[in-house]
Amino acid sequence: MRGGGHSAPGFGTWDNALVIDFANTTGVRVDPAKKRARSEAGATWADFNHATHAFGLATTGGIVGTTGVAGLTLGGGIGYLDRKYGLSCDNLLSADVVTADGKFLTASASHNDDLFWALRGGGGNFGVVTSLEFQLHPVDMVHAGIVVYPLEHAATVSKFYRDYLAEAPEEFGAFLAFALGPPVPFLPAEWHGKPVCVVVGMWTGDQAAGPARWQPFLDVAPVAGSMVGPMPYPALNQAFDAMLPKGLRGYWKADFMKELADGAIDVHISHATSIPTIPTAVHLYPIDGAVQRVKPTDTAFANRDVKFAPVIATFWEDPADDAANVAWTREYAQALRPFSAPGGYINFMDGDDLPRVAENYGPNYQRLGEVKAKYDPQNLFHVNQNIVPA
């Protein structure tokens, strides 16, 4: 199944397979009175946010506007709003599903609840999801921040970010990044293509408090460039879309972290000096707050006791660079492993991470296998992070 086409392993385009492409089904219908929205399977988060923002509403979506609503949600759904409102899958109210035997089912808390449980984190293993209904929340203008620092100050910034976030209200959602300085107007040209440390996020509380929430990040270390101020939520969600055009080659690696240890920060800094391309994204996403108020067994997404979901998402253009970039990503991930918790975020897994599927689902894997056996006993839907029928 191909929704937004944002799959790192390319599961939406596969040799010798039938591709069900939802590219032309991108509608989003909003019910502002009930604060709900129904998305078709091909909608991206840019489509979704465009529709819901007209009513001053949103739900937790991705960091990039071109990410598909369906794929992100079925794998969990980490985003700027997750500390306040939980994961995308935590806001899923129902889904329409065509199963392997051709049945059309609605999955919700009151209909086919076992399937509904599995869809919230279990990926595309259980059928073709044709639409998704979400709970929405009041989110309109946010006080956004993108603060870029010279890499020499990365240790100070990283430790400050870690400590600040631990005490920050859940209305503050921001990730830590290591990158090459992008060619954006607020960053002087001397930093374009140079290794930098970045904090990106937003304050969704009282807008009058926004400047005070971001000022500590402007004071903690010398800043190479920054953009801080009021912004429509969809604008921040699409801020990096131009850096990730279609057609890039990619290879990803990820784990979970219960804490951002000093040793992990040292690993990030040492590898940041050799980041291969500007589109390459090394991000550490917080998944605490509302995410941790859901029990690990309440949804298929079991990883409710970790604080960060880091990803090394390496992107490049030339096939001649494949081997070098894959090797760099693997070595980086291996260096972080001593500081990592078991498992990783399904949406960040690459094609060679299939042996980790059981580890990634932890205590929920056996039950997922049983649901898989009920709805797809022949494993028709196997071009994914595959769950084997139990």
Side-chain angles (χ1 to χ4, degrees), residues 278-307:
I278 287 178
T280 293
V282 180
H283 293 173
L284 289 81
Y285 298 109
I287 49 172
D288 57 357
V291 179
Q292 296 187 346
R293 289 195 291 275
V294 178
K295 295 179 181 178
T297 56
D298 283 353
T299 69
F301 187 94
N303 309 98
R304 305 285 182 168
D305 62 343
V306 295
K307 291 185 178 179

PDB file of all heavy atoms in Angstrom, residues 278-307:
ATOM      1  N   ILE A 278      23.255  17.747   3.335  1.00  0.00           N
ATOM      2  CA  ILE A 278      22.349  18.678   4.012  1.00  0.00           C
ATOM      3  C   ILE A 278      20.993  18.045   4.329  1.00  0.00           C
ATOM      4  O   ILE A 278      20.449  18.262   5.416  1.00  0.00           O
ATOM      5  CB  ILE A 278      22.194  19.976   3.191  1.00  0.00           C
ATOM      6  CG1 ILE A 278      23.491  20.807   3.294  1.00  0.00           C
ATOM      7  CG2 ILE A 278      21.002  20.802   3.664  1.00  0.00           C
ATOM      8  CD1 ILE A 278      23.493  22.087   2.495  1.00  0.00           C
ATOM      9  N   PRO A 279      20.389  17.227   3.454  1.00  0.00           N
ATOM     10  CA  PRO A 279      19.102  16.624   3.815  1.00  0.00           C
ATOM     11  C   PRO A 279      19.172  15.614   4.963  1.00  0.00           C
ATOM     12  O   PRO A 279      18.138  15.304   5.566  1.00  0.00           O
ATOM     13  CB  PRO A 279      18.660  15.929   2.525  1.00  0.00           C
ATOM     14  CG  PRO A 279      19.394  16.616   1.438  1.00  0.00           C
ATOM     15  CD  PRO A 279      20.721  16.985   2.041  1.00  0.00           C
ATOM     16  N   THR A 280      20.352  15.075   5.252  1.00  0.00           N
ATOM     17  CA  THR A 280      20.474  14.077   6.315  1.00  0.00           C
ATOM     18  C   THR A 280      19.998  14.660   7.642  1.00  0.00           C
ATOM     19  O   THR A 280      20.390  15.752   8.036  1.00  0.00           O
ATOM     20  CB  THR A 280      21.924  13.597   6.437  1.00  0.00           C
ATOM     21  OG1 THR A 280      22.266  12.874   5.251  1.00  0.00           O
ATOM     22  CG2 THR A 280      22.105  12.700   7.646  1.00  0.00           C
ATOM     23  N   ALA A 281      19.121  13.896   8.316  1.00  0.00           N
ATOM     24  CA  ALA A 281      18.492  14.377   9.544  1.00  0.00           C
ATOM     25  C   ALA A 281      18.808  13.442  10.699  1.00  0.00           C
ATOM     26  O   ALA A 281      18.407  12.278  10.682  1.00  0.00           O
ATOM     27  CB  ALA A 281      16.976  14.471   9.348  1.00  0.00           C
ATOM     28  N   VAL A 282      19.520  13.935  11.692  1.00  0.00           N
ATOM     29  CA  VAL A 282      19.749  13.202  12.932  1.00  0.00           C
ATOM     30  C   VAL A 282      18.924  13.915  14.002  1.00  0.00           C
ATOM     31  O   VAL A 282      19.285  14.994  14.462  1.00  0.00           O
ATOM     32  CB  VAL A 282      21.231  13.167  13.312  1.00  0.00           C
ATOM     33  CG1 VAL A 282      21.417  12.399  14.614  1.00  0.00           C
ATOM     34  CG2 VAL A 282      22.059  12.539  12.199  1.00  0.00           C
ATOM     35  N   HIS A 283      17.784  13.332  14.352  1.00  0.00           N
ATOM     36  CA  HIS A 283      16.833  13.979  15.258  1.00  0.00           C
ATOM     37  C   HIS A 283      16.605  13.130  16.500  1.00  0.00           C
ATOM     38  O   HIS A 283      16.557  11.900  16.409  1.00  0.00           O
ATOM     39  CB  HIS A 283      15.487  14.183  14.562  1.00  0.00           C
ATOM     40  CG  HIS A 283      15.516  15.166  13.440  1.00  0.00           C
ATOM     41  ND1 HIS A 283      14.432  15.386  12.608  1.00  0.00           N
ATOM     42  CD2 HIS A 283      16.492  15.995  12.994  1.00  0.00           C
ATOM     43  CE1 HIS A 283      14.739  16.302  11.711  1.00  0.00           C
ATOM     44  NE2 HIS A 283      15.981  16.693  11.918  1.00  0.00           N
ATOM     45  N   LEU A 284      16.400  13.785  17.628  1.00  0.00           N
ATOM     46  CA  LEU A 284      16.031  13.115  18.870  1.00  0.00           C
ATOM     47  C   LEU A 284      14.676  13.658  19.299  1.00  0.00           C
ATOM     48  O   LEU A 284      14.567  14.809  19.741  1.00  0.00           O
ATOM     49  CB  LEU A 284      17.074  13.352  19.958  1.00  0.00           C
ATOM     50  CG  LEU A 284      18.424  12.643  19.799  1.00  0.00           C
ATOM     51  CD1 LEU A 284      19.339  13.405  18.844  1.00  0.00           C
ATOM     52  CD2 LEU A 284      19.107  12.498  21.147  1.00  0.00           C
ATOM     53  N   TYR A 285      13.643  12.833  19.134  1.00  0.00           N
ATOM     54  CA  TYR A 285      12.281  13.269  19.424  1.00  0.00           C
ATOM     55  C   TYR A 285      11.873  12.867  20.840  1.00  0.00           C
ATOM     56  O   TYR A 285      12.022  11.705  21.223  1.00  0.00           O
ATOM     57  CB  TYR A 285      11.302  12.635  18.434  1.00  0.00           C
ATOM     58  CG  TYR A 285      11.538  13.026  17.005  1.00  0.00           C
ATOM     59  CD1 TYR A 285      12.054  12.110  16.094  1.00  0.00           C
ATOM     60  CD2 TYR A 285      11.245  14.307  16.556  1.00  0.00           C
ATOM     61  CE1 TYR A 285      12.272  12.463  14.768  1.00  0.00           C
ATOM     62  CE2 TYR A 285      11.461  14.670  15.237  1.00  0.00           C
ATOM     63  CZ  TYR A 285      11.983  13.738  14.344  1.00  0.00           C
ATOM     64  OH  TYR A 285      12.197  14.086  13.035  1.00  0.00           O
ATOM     65  N   PRO A 286      11.311  13.796  21.608  1.00  0.00           N
ATOM     66  CA  PRO A 286      10.812  13.435  22.936  1.00  0.00           C
ATOM     67  C   PRO A 286       9.465  12.721  22.833  1.00  0.00           C
ATOM     68  O   PRO A 286       8.614  13.099  22.020  1.00  0.00           O
ATOM     69  CB  PRO A 286      10.657  14.790  23.628  1.00  0.00           C
ATOM     70  CG  PRO A 286      10.387  15.752  22.518  1.00  0.00           C
ATOM     71  CD  PRO A 286      11.152  15.232  21.326  1.00  0.00           C
ATOM     72  N   ILE A 287       9.276  11.673  23.617  1.00  0.00           N
ATOM     73  CA  ILE A 287       7.982  10.982  23.653  1.00  0.00           C
ATOM     74  C   ILE A 287       7.608  10.702  25.104  1.00  0.00           C
ATOM     75  O   ILE A 287       7.447   9.560  25.521  1.00  0.00           O
ATOM     76  CB  ILE A 287       7.972   9.692  22.797  1.00  0.00           C
ATOM     77  CG1 ILE A 287       9.187   8.803  23.100  1.00  0.00           C
ATOM     78  CG2 ILE A 287       7.913  10.006  21.340  1.00  0.00           C
ATOM     79  CD1 ILE A 287       9.097   7.444  22.418  1.00  0.00           C
ATOM     80  N   ASP A 288       7.456  11.802  25.845  1.00  0.00           N
ATOM     81  CA  ASP A 288       7.055  11.675  27.238  1.00  0.00           C
ATOM     82  C   ASP A 288       5.679  12.314  27.410  1.00  0.00           C
ATOM     83  O   ASP A 288       4.873  12.347  26.493  1.00  0.00           O
ATOM     84  CB  ASP A 288       8.117  12.290  28.157  1.00  0.00           C
ATOM     85  CG  ASP A 288       8.406  13.745  27.835  1.00  0.00           C
ATOM     86  OD1 ASP A 288       7.834  14.276  26.864  1.00  0.00           O
ATOM     87  OD2 ASP A 288       9.193  14.382  28.560  1.00  0.00           O
ATOM     88  N   GLY A 289       5.374  12.819  28.582  1.00  0.00           N
ATOM     89  CA  GLY A 289       4.102  13.488  28.796  1.00  0.00           C
ATOM     90  C   GLY A 289       2.922  12.583  28.515  1.00  0.00           C
ATOM     91  O   GLY A 289       2.807  11.479  29.068  1.00  0.00           O
ATOM     92  N   ALA A 290       2.015  13.029  27.647  1.00  0.00           N
ATOM     93  CA  ALA A 290       0.792  12.291  27.346  1.00  0.00           C
ATOM     94  C   ALA A 290       1.069  10.907  26.784  1.00  0.00           C
ATOM     95  O   ALA A 290       0.281   9.981  26.990  1.00  0.00           O
ATOM     96  CB  ALA A 290      -0.062  13.091  26.368  1.00  0.00           C
ATOM     97  N   VAL A 291       2.179  10.749  26.085  1.00  0.00           N
ATOM     98  CA  VAL A 291       2.519   9.437  25.518  1.00  0.00           C
ATOM     99  C   VAL A 291       2.658   8.402  26.617  1.00  0.00           C
ATOM    100  O   VAL A 291       2.213   7.250  26.479  1.00  0.00           O
ATOM    101  CB  VAL A 291       3.819   9.514  24.697  1.00  0.00           C
ATOM    102  CG1 VAL A 291       4.185   8.146  24.131  1.00  0.00           C
ATOM    103  CG2 VAL A 291       3.687  10.526  23.564  1.00  0.00           C
ATOM    104  N   GLN A 292       3.247   8.802  27.726  1.00  0.00           N
ATOM    105  CA  GLN A 292       3.511   7.859  28.807  1.00  0.00           C
ATOM    106  C   GLN A 292       2.312   7.625  29.724  1.00  0.00           C
ATOM    107  O   GLN A 292       2.359   6.755  30.596  1.00  0.00           O
ATOM    108  CB  GLN A 292       4.721   8.333  29.612  1.00  0.00           C
ATOM    109  CG  GLN A 292       5.996   8.359  28.791  1.00  0.00           C
ATOM    110  CD  GLN A 292       7.231   8.653  29.606  1.00  0.00           C
ATOM    111  OE1 GLN A 292       7.143   9.101  30.745  1.00  0.00           O
ATOM    112  NE2 GLN A 292       8.396   8.429  29.032  1.00  0.00           N
ATOM    113  N   ARG A 293       1.240   8.383  29.507  1.00  0.00           N
ATOM    114  CA  ARG A 293       0.033   8.153  30.304  1.00  0.00           C
ATOM    115  C   ARG A 293      -0.857   7.061  29.704  1.00  0.00           C
ATOM    116  O   ARG A 293      -1.885   6.709  30.275  1.00  0.00           O
ATOM    117  CB  ARG A 293      -0.745   9.459  30.468  1.00  0.00           C
ATOM    118  CG  ARG A 293      -0.043  10.451  31.395  1.00  0.00           C
ATOM    119  CD  ARG A 293      -0.964  11.562  31.843  1.00  0.00           C
ATOM    120  NE  ARG A 293      -1.331  12.474  30.771  1.00  0.00           N
ATOM    121  CZ  ARG A 293      -0.599  13.511  30.395  1.00  0.00           C
ATOM    122  NH1 ARG A 293       0.571  13.761  30.990  1.00  0.00           N
ATOM    123  NH2 ARG A 293      -1.001  14.318  29.442  1.00  0.00           N
ATOM    124  N   VAL A 294      -0.459   6.541  28.559  1.00  0.00           N
ATOM    125  CA  VAL A 294      -1.135   5.391  27.952  1.00  0.00           C
ATOM    126  C   VAL A 294      -0.355   4.142  28.342  1.00  0.00           C
ATOM    127  O   VAL A 294       0.875   4.118  28.246  1.00  0.00           O
ATOM    128  CB  VAL A 294      -1.198   5.532  26.414  1.00  0.00           C
ATOM    129  CG1 VAL A 294      -1.865   4.316  25.785  1.00  0.00           C
ATOM    130  CG2 VAL A 294      -1.934   6.818  26.029  1.00  0.00           C
ATOM    131  N   LYS A 295      -1.042   3.100  28.775  1.00  0.00           N
ATOM    132  CA  LYS A 295      -0.364   1.878  29.189  1.00  0.00           C
ATOM    133  C   LYS A 295       0.251   1.169  27.977  1.00  0.00           C
ATOM    134  O   LYS A 295      -0.311   1.216  26.880  1.00  0.00           O
ATOM    135  CB  LYS A 295      -1.344   0.952  29.901  1.00  0.00           C
ATOM    136  CG  LYS A 295      -1.873   1.498  31.212  1.00  0.00           C
ATOM    137  CD  LYS A 295      -2.853   0.535  31.843  1.00  0.00           C
ATOM    138  CE  LYS A 295      -3.409   1.094  33.152  1.00  0.00           C
ATOM    139  NZ  LYS A 295      -4.401   0.173  33.763  1.00  0.00           N
ATOM    140  N   PRO A 296       1.389   0.501  28.157  1.00  0.00           N
ATOM    141  CA  PRO A 296       2.063  -0.169  27.035  1.00  0.00           C
ATOM    142  C   PRO A 296       1.189  -1.171  26.293  1.00  0.00           C
ATOM    143  O   PRO A 296       1.372  -1.383  25.091  1.00  0.00           O
ATOM    144  CB  PRO A 296       3.253  -0.857  27.702  1.00  0.00           C
ATOM    145  CG  PRO A 296       3.526  -0.053  28.921  1.00  0.00           C
ATOM    146  CD  PRO A 296       2.184   0.417  29.402  1.00  0.00           C
ATOM    147  N   THR A 297       0.234  -1.782  26.985  1.00  0.00           N
ATOM    148  CA  THR A 297      -0.608  -2.797  26.344  1.00  0.00           C
ATOM    149  C   THR A 297      -1.949  -2.244  25.870  1.00  0.00           C
ATOM    150  O   THR A 297      -2.765  -2.984  25.324  1.00  0.00           O
ATOM    151  CB  THR A 297      -0.858  -3.976  27.300  1.00  0.00           C
ATOM    152  OG1 THR A 297      -1.428  -3.481  28.525  1.00  0.00           O
ATOM    153  CG2 THR A 297       0.440  -4.707  27.601  1.00  0.00           C
ATOM    154  N   ASP A 298      -2.184  -0.948  26.041  1.00  0.00           N
ATOM    155  CA  ASP A 298      -3.458  -0.360  25.599  1.00  0.00           C
ATOM    156  C   ASP A 298      -3.545  -0.223  24.085  1.00  0.00           C
ATOM    157  O   ASP A 298      -4.647  -0.188  23.526  1.00  0.00           O
ATOM    158  CB  ASP A 298      -3.662   1.015  26.246  1.00  0.00           C
ATOM    159  CG  ASP A 298      -4.113   0.912  27.694  1.00  0.00           C
ATOM    160  OD1 ASP A 298      -4.393  -0.216  28.153  1.00  0.00           O
ATOM    161  OD2 ASP A 298      -4.176   1.958  28.367  1.00  0.00           O
ATOM    162  N   THR A 299      -2.407  -0.084  23.440  1.00  0.00           N
ATOM    163  CA  THR A 299      -2.321  -0.043  21.981  1.00  0.00           C
ATOM    164  C   THR A 299      -1.151  -0.930  21.560  1.00  0.00           C
ATOM    165  O   THR A 299      -0.346  -1.357  22.388  1.00  0.00           O
ATOM    166  CB  THR A 299      -2.071   1.388  21.457  1.00  0.00           C
ATOM    167  OG1 THR A 299      -0.738   1.799  21.833  1.00  0.00           O
ATOM    168  CG2 THR A 299      -3.081   2.376  22.022  1.00  0.00           C
ATOM    169  N   ALA A 300      -1.037  -1.174  20.260  1.00  0.00           N
ATOM    170  CA  ALA A 300       0.089  -1.976  19.778  1.00  0.00           C
ATOM    171  C   ALA A 300       1.428  -1.280  20.007  1.00  0.00           C
ATOM    172  O   ALA A 300       2.465  -1.939  20.096  1.00  0.00           O
ATOM    173  CB  ALA A 300      -0.096  -2.288  18.295  1.00  0.00           C
ATOM    174  N   PHE A 301       1.428   0.046  20.094  1.00  0.00           N
ATOM    175  CA  PHE A 301       2.656   0.801  20.365  1.00  0.00           C
ATOM    176  C   PHE A 301       2.999   0.634  21.844  1.00  0.00           C
ATOM    177  O   PHE A 301       2.369   1.240  22.716  1.00  0.00           O
ATOM    178  CB  PHE A 301       2.461   2.284  20.021  1.00  0.00           C
ATOM    179  CG  PHE A 301       3.721   3.095  20.109  1.00  0.00           C
ATOM    180  CD1 PHE A 301       4.498   3.318  18.981  1.00  0.00           C
ATOM    181  CD2 PHE A 301       4.145   3.633  21.323  1.00  0.00           C
ATOM    182  CE1 PHE A 301       5.671   4.070  19.061  1.00  0.00           C
ATOM    183  CE2 PHE A 301       5.311   4.379  21.414  1.00  0.00           C
ATOM    184  CZ  PHE A 301       6.074   4.595  20.277  1.00  0.00           C
ATOM    185  N   ALA A 302       3.994  -0.194  22.117  1.00  0.00           N
ATOM    186  CA  ALA A 302       4.287  -0.606  23.495  1.00  0.00           C
ATOM    187  C   ALA A 302       5.302   0.264  24.207  1.00  0.00           C
ATOM    188  O   ALA A 302       5.437   0.190  25.426  1.00  0.00           O
ATOM    189  CB  ALA A 302       4.796  -2.053  23.493  1.00  0.00           C
ATOM    190  N   ASN A 303       6.024   1.098  23.480  1.00  0.00           N
ATOM    191  CA  ASN A 303       7.210   1.755  24.032  1.00  0.00           C
ATOM    192  C   ASN A 303       6.824   3.030  24.768  1.00  0.00           C
ATOM    193  O   ASN A 303       7.102   4.146  24.325  1.00  0.00           O
ATOM    194  CB  ASN A 303       8.212   2.033  22.923  1.00  0.00           C
ATOM    195  CG  ASN A 303       8.491   0.800  22.091  1.00  0.00           C
ATOM    196  OD1 ASN A 303       7.910   0.625  21.024  1.00  0.00           O
ATOM    197  ND2 ASN A 303       9.343  -0.074  22.587  1.00  0.00           N
ATOM    198  N   ARG A 304       6.193   2.853  25.916  1.00  0.00           N
ATOM    199  CA  ARG A 304       5.662   3.979  26.674  1.00  0.00           C
ATOM    200  C   ARG A 304       6.543   4.355  27.863  1.00  0.00           C
ATOM    201  O   ARG A 304       6.161   5.226  28.654  1.00  0.00           O
ATOM    202  CB  ARG A 304       4.255   3.630  27.181  1.00  0.00           C
ATOM    203  CG  ARG A 304       3.275   3.202  26.090  1.00  0.00           C
ATOM    204  CD  ARG A 304       2.776   4.354  25.269  1.00  0.00           C
ATOM    205  NE  ARG A 304       1.791   3.929  24.261  1.00  0.00           N
ATOM    206  CZ  ARG A 304       1.032   4.765  23.572  1.00  0.00           C
ATOM    207  NH1 ARG A 304       1.139   6.074  23.774  1.00  0.00           N
ATOM    208  NH2 ARG A 304       0.182   4.323  22.668  1.00  0.00           N
ATOM    209  N   ASP A 305       7.684   3.719  28.012  1.00  0.00           N
ATOM    210  CA  ASP A 305       8.545   3.994  29.160  1.00  0.00           C
ATOM    211  C   ASP A 305       9.882   4.598  28.735  1.00  0.00           C
ATOM    212  O   ASP A 305      10.818   4.650  29.529  1.00  0.00           O
ATOM    213  CB  ASP A 305       8.794   2.721  29.962  1.00  0.00           C
ATOM    214  CG  ASP A 305       9.508   1.649  29.165  1.00  0.00           C
ATOM    215  OD1 ASP A 305       9.523   1.749  27.916  1.00  0.00           O
ATOM    216  OD2 ASP A 305      10.051   0.712  29.777  1.00  0.00           O
ATOM    217  N   VAL A 306       9.976   5.048  27.487  1.00  0.00           N
ATOM    218  CA  VAL A 306      11.201   5.682  27.006  1.00  0.00           C
ATOM    219  C   VAL A 306      10.941   7.179  26.835  1.00  0.00           C
ATOM    220  O   VAL A 306       9.794   7.602  26.708  1.00  0.00           O
ATOM    221  CB  VAL A 306      11.678   5.059  25.680  1.00  0.00           C
ATOM    222  CG1 VAL A 306      12.079   3.611  25.895  1.00  0.00           C
ATOM    223  CG2 VAL A 306      10.598   5.160  24.603  1.00  0.00           C
ATOM    224  N   LYS A 307      12.002   7.968  26.826  1.00  0.00           N
ATOM    225  CA  LYS A 307      11.833   9.422  26.741  1.00  0.00           C
ATOM    226  C   LYS A 307      12.184   9.997  25.372  1.00  0.00           C
ATOM    227  O   LYS A 307      11.732  11.091  25.035  1.00  0.00           O
ATOM    228  CB  LYS A 307      12.675  10.102  27.821  1.00  0.00           C
ATOM    229  CG  LYS A 307      12.168   9.860  29.235  1.00  0.00           C
ATOM    230  CD  LYS A 307      12.968  10.657  30.246  1.00  0.00           C
ATOM    231  CE  LYS A 307      12.424  10.442  31.654  1.00  0.00           C
ATOM    232  NZ  LYS A 307      13.212  11.193  32.671  1.00  0.00           N
TER     233      LYS A 307
END
